Amino acid sequence: MGAGLKAYRMKKGVHARMADLVEIFTSGPDVIPASVDAQEAFWREWLATPRV
């Protein structure tokens, strides 16, 4: 998946795809830092959401 240097930018209701991989150390206007707790909360919500 990128030797630990990439992660999936996940969206509720959508399966993660290779096109959703992003560099984890990238900076820019579209990068929104999130705490580990916030990431885990989103992941749990994502798991509970039906995906297409």
Side-chain angles (χ1 to χ4, degrees):
M1 181 176 93
L5 298 175
K6 294 185 179 186
Y8 288 101
R9 180 172 290 176
M10 300 164 73
K11 300 172 194 140
K12 291 179 191 171
V14 180
H15 287 284
R17 303 172 312 189
M18 291 297 287
D20 298 322
L21 277 174
V22 295
E23 299 282 336
I24 63 171
F25 293 111
T26 300
S27 61
D30 64 333
V31 177
I32 303 167
S35 68
V36 173
D37 290 337
Q39 292 176 48
E40 184 174 354
F42 180 87
W43 178 70
R44 291 184 187 281
E45 290 174 24
W46 181 83
L47 281 177
T49 305
R51 288 170 290 288
V52 291

